[in-house]
Amino acid sequence: MEPHRKGDLTEAIVIAELKRRDIPVSVPFGDNERYDLLAEDDSGSIWKLQVKTGRYRDGKVLFKGKSQHTNASGHTYRYYDGDVDYFLVNCDEVDGLYLVPESEVGSSMSLRIADAKQDHRTINWATDYDFDEQWPPSGSTADDWRNAVVDDLREHGIDVLDARESDAPYDLLLRTADGTLYRTSLRPGSVSGGRVRFDTGRTNAPGPSVIDLVLVRCQGTGETYLIERDAYDESISLRVEPTRNEDTRTNRAADYTLNRRWPPA
């Protein structure tokens, strides 16, 4: 089945599942919105949902956290970056429906169903995202998540200036005790393949001449990581799980935690 037809079928199935649960749902007119559906909970709160087709592979439900469009130059990909509140993932192969916060998803995500050889804290268990267990949402939106990170920074004694309402290419200005300002991009991270990964696309374009630091909050590890923008060219990932072979080129997540990296050297 062609991808767009499969997407339409998944969306129809999801709408039927929401209606079966007596959840009010609306579909935006046209193709101008980043989200697929609006759903209302019992309190009257409205949530922007992006429907995704999950595929079952090797004991895991896999889905993508970015959209694909085709133009004259080929395929282009775009992250949702706070434009939706949750991904609503349907997987026919396991008869599963999952609700995943957008802030926890990078370019892709896997939800484990089968038992793993080793139970690691970075595993995203499908049962933790089961729709009927997660609906209605707890109230965490993209803005709530960002505000929580800012609060966390301030609890660490870091002076934070919020630039998200401006036209600046960065999200925050972080100020050290001696008055030095660091232009900082705030990004959600997720764990995939034993690594913390995040969307580097937005920070890649401005480059180190405009962005000094990238602050990555990963729900999967419960940690905030601080990365200097000039430490990588196009992408970087942080190793969470140990490797069989010791390699000096490995970027260990533990070395990039906020407590260890602030203030920058």
Side-chain angles (χ1 to χ4, degrees):
M1 184 181 295
E2 296 178 4
H4 74 277
R5 293 184 181 276
K6 180 61 175 176
D8 289 344
L9 176 59
T10 298
E11 187 171 327
I13 292 172
V14 166
I15 291 174
E17 288 295 324
L18 294 176
K19 297 302 293 182
R20 187 171 66 84
R21 292 167 171 81
D22 292 325
I23 298 173
V25 58
S26 301
V27 180
F29 178 78
D31 297 322
N32 297 319
E33 307 300 336
R34 298 297 316 279
Y35 53 86
D36 290 323
L37 307 173
L38 292 172
E40 183 178 349
D41 63 24
D42 291 338
S43 70
S45 296
I46 296 176
W47 304 93
K48 295 178 289 186
L49 307 178
Q50 177 63 30
V51 176
K52 290 293 182 181
T53 301
R55 292 175 172 80
Y56 185 68
R57 298 288 186 277
D58 301 323
K60 296 177 288 187
V61 173
L62 311 175
F63 69 96
K64 296 180 179 179
K66 55 187 177 182
S67 60
Q68 175 182 307
H69 302 279
T70 303
N71 55 29
S73 60
H75 296 309
T76 61
Y77 298 91
R78 183 181 174 190
Y79 292 83
Y80 290 92
D81 195 25
D83 290 333
V84 304
D85 298 317
Y86 288 86
F87 289 107
L88 194 49
V89 183
N90 181 76
C91 182
D92 287 338
E93 294 153 293
V94 298
D95 193 26
L97 186 64
Y98 308 99
L99 190 68
V100 184
E102 184 270 340
S103 61
E104 295 187 21
V105 182
S107 60
S108 63
M109 188 173 183
S110 62
L111 307 177
R112 177 162 286 282
I113 293 179
D115 291 338
K117 293 181 179 179
Q118 293 182 336
D119 189 1
H120 197 278
R121 66 191 179 99
T122 59
I123 292 176
N124 300 306
W125 292 103
T127 52
D128 292 337
Y129 297 93
D130 180 80
F131 180 84
D132 291 317
E133 295 295 328
Q134 295 299 317
W135 186 268
S138 61
S140 177
T141 65
D143 283 340
D144 293 333
W145 170 79
R146 290 181 175 90
N147 292 337
V149 174
V150 171
D151 290 342
D152 186 38
L153 291 170
R154 288 173 174 157
E155 287 179 4
H156 278 78
I158 301 173
D159 191 9
V160 182
L161 303 176
D162 197 334
R164 286 173 291 173
E165 299 301 322
S166 71
D167 294 329
Y170 47 83
D171 297 309
L172 307 172
L173 285 172
L174 305 186
R175 182 159 49 197
T176 62
D178 64 5
T180 303
L181 291 173
Y182 289 91
R183 300 161 297 179
T184 305
S185 178
L186 184 58
R187 312 301 301 147
S190 62
V191 178
S192 176
R195 295 177 179 271
V196 173
R197 305 178 189 274
F198 64 98
D199 169 21
T200 57
R202 184 177 169 192
T203 53
N204 182 40
S209 63
V210 179
I211 299 293
D212 302 308
L213 303 173
V214 181
L215 193 65
V216 180
R217 177 64 182 177
C218 180
Q219 297 284 82
T221 63
E223 290 282 0
T224 299
Y225 303 98
L226 193 62
I227 304 166
E228 295 186 16
R229 178 58 188 87
D230 59 8
Y232 66 93
D233 292 325
E234 295 184 359
S235 65
I236 187 173
S237 62
L238 308 178
R239 168 65 67 177
V240 178
E241 298 177 1
T243 57
R244 293 181 179 178
N245 299 319
E246 190 72 21
D247 192 332
T248 57
R249 296 171 298 177
T250 299
N251 298 304
R252 299 183 180 279
D255 295 334
Y256 288 85
T257 59
L258 179 62
N259 287 334
R260 181 166 292 191
R261 287 277 171 164
W262 183 265

Short mmCIF file of all heavy atoms in Angstrom, two decimals, residues 36-84:
data_model
loop_
_atom_site.label_atom_id
_atom_site.label_comp_id
_atom_site.label_asym_id
_atom_site.label_seq_id
_atom_site.Cartn_x
_atom_site.Cartn_y
_atom_site.Cartn_z
N ASP A 36 -2.75 16.28 12.97
CA ASP A 36 -3.81 15.59 12.21
C ASP A 36 -5.18 15.75 12.86
O ASP A 36 -6.19 15.86 12.16
CB ASP A 36 -3.49 14.10 12.11
CG ASP A 36 -2.30 13.82 11.20
OD1 ASP A 36 -2.16 14.51 10.18
OD2 ASP A 36 -1.52 12.91 11.53
N LEU A 37 -5.20 15.74 14.20
CA LEU A 37 -6.47 15.73 14.92
C LEU A 37 -6.42 16.65 16.13
O LEU A 37 -5.35 16.93 16.67
CB LEU A 37 -6.80 14.31 15.42
CG LEU A 37 -6.80 13.16 14.40
CD1 LEU A 37 -6.98 11.84 15.13
CD2 LEU A 37 -7.87 13.37 13.35
N LEU A 38 -7.61 17.10 16.54
CA LEU A 38 -7.79 17.77 17.82
C LEU A 38 -8.71 16.89 18.65
O LEU A 38 -9.79 16.51 18.19
CB LEU A 38 -8.40 19.16 17.64
CG LEU A 38 -7.54 20.22 16.95
CD1 LEU A 38 -8.37 21.47 16.69
CD2 LEU A 38 -6.32 20.56 17.80
N ALA A 39 -8.30 16.57 19.86
CA ALA A 39 -9.11 15.73 20.74
C ALA A 39 -9.34 16.46 22.06
O ALA A 39 -8.44 17.13 22.57
CB ALA A 39 -8.45 14.38 20.99
N GLU A 40 -10.54 16.33 22.59
CA GLU A 40 -10.92 17.03 23.82
C GLU A 40 -11.09 16.03 24.96
O GLU A 40 -11.76 15.00 24.81
CB GLU A 40 -12.22 17.79 23.60
CG GLU A 40 -12.67 18.62 24.79
CD GLU A 40 -13.95 19.39 24.51
OE1 GLU A 40 -14.37 19.44 23.33
OE2 GLU A 40 -14.54 19.92 25.47
N ASP A 41 -10.48 16.34 26.11
CA ASP A 41 -10.66 15.45 27.26
C ASP A 41 -11.84 15.92 28.11
O ASP A 41 -12.51 16.91 27.78
CB ASP A 41 -9.37 15.35 28.08
CG ASP A 41 -8.95 16.68 28.70
OD1 ASP A 41 -9.81 17.56 28.89
OD2 ASP A 41 -7.74 16.84 29.00
N ASP A 42 -12.11 15.23 29.20
CA ASP A 42 -13.29 15.51 30.01
C ASP A 42 -13.25 16.88 30.67
O ASP A 42 -14.29 17.44 31.03
CB ASP A 42 -13.45 14.43 31.09
CG ASP A 42 -13.82 13.08 30.50
OD1 ASP A 42 -14.35 13.06 29.37
OD2 ASP A 42 -13.57 12.05 31.15
N SER A 43 -12.04 17.43 30.84
CA SER A 43 -11.92 18.74 31.48
C SER A 43 -12.13 19.89 30.49
O SER A 43 -12.16 21.05 30.89
CB SER A 43 -10.54 18.88 32.13
OG SER A 43 -9.53 18.99 31.14
N GLY A 44 -12.24 19.55 29.20
CA GLY A 44 -12.39 20.58 28.17
C GLY A 44 -11.09 20.98 27.52
O GLY A 44 -11.09 21.81 26.60
N SER A 45 -9.97 20.42 27.97
CA SER A 45 -8.68 20.71 27.35
C SER A 45 -8.61 20.07 25.97
O SER A 45 -9.08 18.95 25.77
CB SER A 45 -7.52 20.19 28.21
OG SER A 45 -7.49 20.85 29.46
N ILE A 46 -8.03 20.79 25.02
CA ILE A 46 -7.92 20.31 23.65
C ILE A 46 -6.46 20.02 23.34
O ILE A 46 -5.58 20.84 23.61
CB ILE A 46 -8.50 21.34 22.66
CG1 ILE A 46 -10.01 21.50 22.91
CG2 ILE A 46 -8.24 20.91 21.22
CD1 ILE A 46 -10.67 22.55 22.06
N TRP A 47 -6.21 18.85 22.75
CA TRP A 47 -4.85 18.38 22.50
C TRP A 47 -4.62 18.19 21.00
O TRP A 47 -5.47 17.63 20.31
CB TRP A 47 -4.61 17.06 23.24
CG TRP A 47 -4.87 17.18 24.70
CD1 TRP A 47 -6.03 16.92 25.36
CD2 TRP A 47 -3.95 17.64 25.69
NE1 TRP A 47 -5.90 17.17 26.70
CE2 TRP A 47 -4.63 17.62 26.93
CE3 TRP A 47 -2.62 18.06 25.65
CZ2 TRP A 47 -4.02 18.00 28.12
CZ3 TRP A 47 -2.01 18.44 26.84
CH2 TRP A 47 -2.70 18.41 28.05
N LYS A 48 -3.47 18.65 20.55
CA LYS A 48 -3.08 18.49 19.14
C LYS A 48 -2.37 17.15 18.99
O LYS A 48 -1.33 16.91 19.61
CB LYS A 48 -2.17 19.64 18.71
CG LYS A 48 -2.85 21.00 18.71
CD LYS A 48 -1.90 22.11 18.33
CE LYS A 48 -0.88 22.37 19.44
NZ LYS A 48 -0.03 23.55 19.13
N LEU A 49 -2.94 16.28 18.15
CA LEU A 49 -2.42 14.93 17.99
C LEU A 49 -1.92 14.71 16.57
O LEU A 49 -2.57 15.11 15.61
CB LEU A 49 -3.52 13.90 18.30
CG LEU A 49 -4.24 14.02 19.64
CD1 LEU A 49 -5.31 12.95 19.76
CD2 LEU A 49 -3.24 13.93 20.80
N GLN A 50 -0.77 14.08 16.47
CA GLN A 50 -0.23 13.67 15.17
C GLN A 50 -0.30 12.16 15.08
O GLN A 50 0.27 11.45 15.92
CB GLN A 50 1.22 14.15 15.02
CG GLN A 50 1.89 13.71 13.74
CD GLN A 50 1.22 14.28 12.50
OE1 GLN A 50 0.65 15.36 12.54
NE2 GLN A 50 1.27 13.55 11.41
N VAL A 51 -1.02 11.65 14.10
CA VAL A 51 -1.22 10.21 13.95
C VAL A 51 -0.02 9.60 13.23
O VAL A 51 0.45 10.13 12.22
CB VAL A 51 -2.51 9.93 13.17
CG1 VAL A 51 -2.68 8.43 12.94
CG2 VAL A 51 -3.72 10.49 13.93
N LYS A 52 0.46 8.48 13.76
CA LYS A 52 1.58 7.77 13.15
C LYS A 52 1.25 6.28 13.02
O LYS A 52 0.58 5.70 13.88
CB LYS A 52 2.84 7.93 14.00
CG LYS A 52 3.44 9.33 13.97
CD LYS A 52 3.98 9.68 12.60
CE LYS A 52 4.61 11.05 12.56
NZ LYS A 52 5.12 11.38 11.21
N THR A 53 1.75 5.69 11.95
CA THR A 53 1.62 4.25 11.75
C THR A 53 2.80 3.55 12.39
O THR A 53 3.96 3.85 12.07
CB THR A 53 1.58 3.91 10.25
OG1 THR A 53 0.48 4.59 9.64
CG2 THR A 53 1.45 2.41 10.04
N GLY A 54 2.53 2.66 13.33
CA GLY A 54 3.59 1.89 13.96
C GLY A 54 3.82 0.58 13.22
O GLY A 54 2.88 -0.04 12.73
N ARG A 55 5.07 0.18 13.14
CA ARG A 55 5.44 -1.08 12.48
C ARG A 55 6.16 -1.97 13.48
O ARG A 55 7.07 -1.52 14.16
CB ARG A 55 6.31 -0.81 11.25
CG ARG A 55 5.54 -0.10 10.14
CD ARG A 55 6.43 0.27 8.97
NE ARG A 55 5.66 0.77 7.84
CZ ARG A 55 5.18 2.01 7.75
NH1 ARG A 55 5.42 2.87 8.73
NH2 ARG A 55 4.48 2.39 6.70
N TYR A 56 5.75 -3.22 13.53
CA TYR A 56 6.31 -4.16 14.50
C TYR A 56 7.53 -4.85 13.92
O TYR A 56 7.46 -5.51 12.88
CB TYR A 56 5.26 -5.20 14.89
CG TYR A 56 5.71 -6.13 15.98
CD1 TYR A 56 5.90 -5.67 17.28
CD2 TYR A 56 5.95 -7.48 15.72
CE1 TYR A 56 6.31 -6.52 18.29
CE2 TYR A 56 6.35 -8.34 16.72
CZ TYR A 56 6.54 -7.85 18.00
OH TYR A 56 6.95 -8.70 19.00
N ARG A 57 8.68 -4.67 14.59
CA ARG A 57 9.92 -5.29 14.15
C ARG A 57 10.73 -5.71 15.38
O ARG A 57 10.95 -4.90 16.29
CB ARG A 57 10.77 -4.32 13.32
CG ARG A 57 10.14 -3.83 12.02
CD ARG A 57 10.09 -4.92 10.96
NE ARG A 57 9.62 -4.38 9.68
CZ ARG A 57 8.34 -4.21 9.37
NH1 ARG A 57 7.40 -4.53 10.26
NH2 ARG A 57 7.99 -3.73 8.19
N ASP A 58 11.16 -6.96 15.40
CA ASP A 58 12.08 -7.44 16.44
C ASP A 58 11.61 -7.12 17.85
O ASP A 58 12.38 -6.67 18.70
CB ASP A 58 13.48 -6.85 16.22
CG ASP A 58 14.06 -7.21 14.87
OD1 ASP A 58 13.83 -8.35 14.42
OD2 ASP A 58 14.74 -6.36 14.26
N GLY A 59 10.32 -7.33 18.09
CA GLY A 59 9.79 -7.14 19.44
C GLY A 59 9.49 -5.71 19.81
O GLY A 59 9.21 -5.42 20.98
N LYS A 60 9.54 -4.79 18.82
CA LYS A 60 9.32 -3.37 19.11
C LYS A 60 8.38 -2.76 18.08
O LYS A 60 8.36 -3.16 16.92
CB LYS A 60 10.65 -2.61 19.09
CG LYS A 60 11.64 -3.04 20.16
CD LYS A 60 12.96 -2.30 20.04
CE LYS A 60 13.75 -2.79 18.83
NZ LYS A 60 15.11 -2.20 18.80
N VAL A 61 7.60 -1.77 18.54
CA VAL A 61 6.78 -0.96 17.64
C VAL A 61 7.60 0.27 17.28
O VAL A 61 8.01 1.04 18.15
CB VAL A 61 5.46 -0.54 18.31
CG1 VAL A 61 4.70 0.44 17.41
CG2 VAL A 61 4.60 -1.76 18.60
N LEU A 62 7.85 0.46 15.99
CA LEU A 62 8.68 1.56 15.50
C LEU A 62 7.81 2.61 14.82
O LEU A 62 6.86 2.27 14.11
CB LEU A 62 9.72 1.04 14.51
CG LEU A 62 10.55 -0.18 14.93
CD1 LEU A 62 11.45 -0.62 13.79
CD2 LEU A 62 11.38 0.14 16.16
N PHE A 63 8.13 3.87 15.03
CA PHE A 63 7.46 4.94 14.29
C PHE A 63 8.40 6.13 14.13
O PHE A 63 9.37 6.27 14.87
CB PHE A 63 6.15 5.37 14.97
CG PHE A 63 6.33 6.08 16.29
CD1 PHE A 63 6.33 7.47 16.35
CD2 PHE A 63 6.50 5.36 17.47
CE1 PHE A 63 6.49 8.13 17.56
CE2 PHE A 63 6.65 6.01 18.69
CZ PHE A 63 6.65 7.41 18.73
N LYS A 64 8.09 6.98 13.17
CA LYS A 64 8.94 8.12 12.86
C LYS A 64 8.43 9.38 13.56
O LYS A 64 7.23 9.58 13.68
CB LYS A 64 9.00 8.35 11.35
CG LYS A 64 9.65 7.20 10.59
CD LYS A 64 9.69 7.48 9.10
CE LYS A 64 10.36 6.33 8.35
NZ LYS A 64 10.39 6.57 6.88
N GLY A 65 9.37 10.22 13.97
CA GLY A 65 9.01 11.45 14.67
C GLY A 65 9.17 12.68 13.82
O GLY A 65 9.31 13.79 14.35
N LYS A 66 9.15 12.52 12.50
CA LYS A 66 9.27 13.67 11.61
C LYS A 66 8.37 13.44 10.41
O LYS A 66 7.98 12.31 10.10
CB LYS A 66 10.72 13.87 11.18
CG LYS A 66 11.36 12.66 10.53
CD LYS A 66 12.84 12.87 10.28
CE LYS A 66 13.48 11.61 9.69
NZ LYS A 66 14.94 11.80 9.48
N SER A 67 8.04 14.51 9.72
CA SER A 67 7.18 14.42 8.54
C SER A 67 8.02 14.47 7.28
O SER A 67 9.12 15.04 7.27
CB SER A 67 6.16 15.57 8.54
OG SER A 67 6.82 16.82 8.52
N GLN A 68 7.50 13.87 6.22
CA GLN A 68 8.21 13.83 4.94
C GLN A 68 7.37 14.51 3.88
O GLN A 68 6.16 14.29 3.78
CB GLN A 68 8.48 12.39 4.52
CG GLN A 68 9.11 12.26 3.13
CD GLN A 68 9.32 10.82 2.72
OE1 GLN A 68 9.93 10.04 3.44
NE2 GLN A 68 8.79 10.44 1.56
N HIS A 69 8.01 15.37 3.10
CA HIS A 69 7.35 16.05 1.99
C HIS A 69 8.22 15.91 0.75
O HIS A 69 9.44 15.78 0.85
CB HIS A 69 7.11 17.52 2.31
CG HIS A 69 6.29 17.74 3.54
ND1 HIS A 69 4.92 17.66 3.56
CD2 HIS A 69 6.66 18.02 4.82
CE1 HIS A 69 4.47 17.88 4.78
NE2 HIS A 69 5.51 18.10 5.57
N THR A 70 7.59 15.96 -0.39
CA THR A 70 8.32 15.83 -1.65
C THR A 70 8.18 17.11 -2.45
O THR A 70 7.07 17.64 -2.61
CB THR A 70 7.78 14.65 -2.48
OG1 THR A 70 7.86 13.45 -1.70
CG2 THR A 70 8.59 14.48 -3.75
N ASN A 71 9.32 17.62 -2.92
CA ASN A 71 9.30 18.79 -3.79
C ASN A 71 10.21 18.53 -4.98
O ASN A 71 10.64 17.40 -5.21
CB ASN A 71 9.72 20.05 -3.02
CG ASN A 71 11.07 19.89 -2.34
OD1 ASN A 71 11.93 19.14 -2.80
ND2 ASN A 71 11.27 20.60 -1.23
N ALA A 72 10.52 19.58 -5.73
CA ALA A 72 11.31 19.42 -6.95
C ALA A 72 12.70 18.87 -6.68
O ALA A 72 13.30 18.21 -7.54
CB ALA A 72 11.41 20.76 -7.68
N SER A 73 13.23 19.12 -5.50
CA SER A 73 14.58 18.66 -5.17
C SER A 73 14.60 17.29 -4.50
O SER A 73 15.67 16.77 -4.18
CB SER A 73 15.28 19.69 -4.27
OG SER A 73 14.56 19.86 -3.07
N GLY A 74 13.42 16.71 -4.28
CA GLY A 74 13.36 15.39 -3.66
C GLY A 74 12.61 15.42 -2.33
O GLY A 74 11.74 16.26 -2.12
N HIS A 75 12.96 14.49 -1.44
CA HIS A 75 12.29 14.40 -0.15
C HIS A 75 12.89 15.40 0.84
O HIS A 75 14.10 15.58 0.90
CB HIS A 75 12.42 12.99 0.43
CG HIS A 75 11.74 11.94 -0.38
ND1 HIS A 75 10.43 12.04 -0.80
CD2 HIS A 75 12.19 10.74 -0.87
CE1 HIS A 75 10.09 10.98 -1.49
NE2 HIS A 75 11.15 10.17 -1.55
N THR A 76 12.03 16.04 1.60
CA THR A 76 12.47 16.90 2.69
C THR A 76 11.82 16.40 3.98
O THR A 76 10.70 15.88 3.96
CB THR A 76 12.08 18.37 2.45
OG1 THR A 76 10.65 18.48 2.37
CG2 THR A 76 12.70 18.89 1.17
N TYR A 77 12.53 16.56 5.09
CA TYR A 77 12.04 16.08 6.37
C TYR A 77 11.99 17.25 7.36
O TYR A 77 12.85 18.13 7.34
CB TYR A 77 12.95 14.98 6.92
CG TYR A 77 13.01 13.77 6.02
CD1 TYR A 77 13.97 13.66 5.02
CD2 TYR A 77 12.08 12.75 6.16
CE1 TYR A 77 14.01 12.56 4.18
CE2 TYR A 77 12.11 11.64 5.33
CZ TYR A 77 13.08 11.55 4.34
OH TYR A 77 13.12 10.46 3.52
N ARG A 78 10.98 17.22 8.21
CA ARG A 78 10.80 18.30 9.17
C ARG A 78 10.33 17.73 10.51
O ARG A 78 9.42 16.90 10.55
CB ARG A 78 9.77 19.30 8.64
CG ARG A 78 9.56 20.52 9.54
CD ARG A 78 8.50 21.43 8.94
NE ARG A 78 8.18 22.53 9.83
CZ ARG A 78 7.16 23.37 9.65
NH1 ARG A 78 6.37 23.20 8.60
NH2 ARG A 78 6.93 24.34 10.51
N TYR A 79 10.96 18.18 11.58
CA TYR A 79 10.56 17.77 12.91
C TYR A 79 9.37 18.61 13.37
O TYR A 79 9.14 19.72 12.89
CB TYR A 79 11.72 17.92 13.89
CG TYR A 79 12.84 16.94 13.63
CD1 TYR A 79 13.81 17.19 12.66
CD2 TYR A 79 12.93 15.75 14.35
CE1 TYR A 79 14.83 16.29 12.42
CE2 TYR A 79 13.94 14.85 14.11
CZ TYR A 79 14.89 15.12 13.15
OH TYR A 79 15.90 14.23 12.90
N TYR A 80 8.62 18.09 14.33
CA TYR A 80 7.40 18.77 14.76
C TYR A 80 7.69 19.90 15.74
O TYR A 80 6.98 20.90 15.77
CB TYR A 80 6.42 17.75 15.35
CG TYR A 80 5.86 16.86 14.28
CD1 TYR A 80 6.47 15.64 13.97
CD2 TYR A 80 4.77 17.25 13.52
CE1 TYR A 80 5.99 14.83 12.96
CE2 TYR A 80 4.28 16.45 12.51
CZ TYR A 80 4.89 15.24 12.23
OH TYR A 80 4.42 14.45 11.21
N ASP A 81 8.73 19.75 16.55
CA ASP A 81 9.28 20.86 17.33
C ASP A 81 8.22 21.67 18.08
O ASP A 81 8.13 22.88 17.96
CB ASP A 81 10.09 21.78 16.41
CG ASP A 81 10.98 22.74 17.19
OD1 ASP A 81 11.33 22.42 18.33
OD2 ASP A 81 11.30 23.81 16.66
N GLY A 82 7.35 20.97 18.81
CA GLY A 82 6.34 21.65 19.62
C GLY A 82 5.05 21.99 18.90
O GLY A 82 4.13 22.54 19.50
N ASP A 83 4.96 21.66 17.60
CA ASP A 83 3.74 21.95 16.85
C ASP A 83 2.60 20.99 17.19
O ASP A 83 1.45 21.24 16.83
CB ASP A 83 4.00 21.90 15.34
CG ASP A 83 4.85 23.06 14.86
OD1 ASP A 83 4.82 24.12 15.52
OD2 ASP A 83 5.56 22.91 13.84
N VAL A 84 2.92 19.87 17.82
CA VAL A 84 1.89 18.93 18.28
C VAL A 84 2.17 18.63 19.75
O VAL A 84 3.28 18.83 20.25
CB VAL A 84 1.89 17.62 17.45
CG1 VAL A 84 1.71 17.93 15.97
CG2 VAL A 84 3.15 16.81 17.67
#
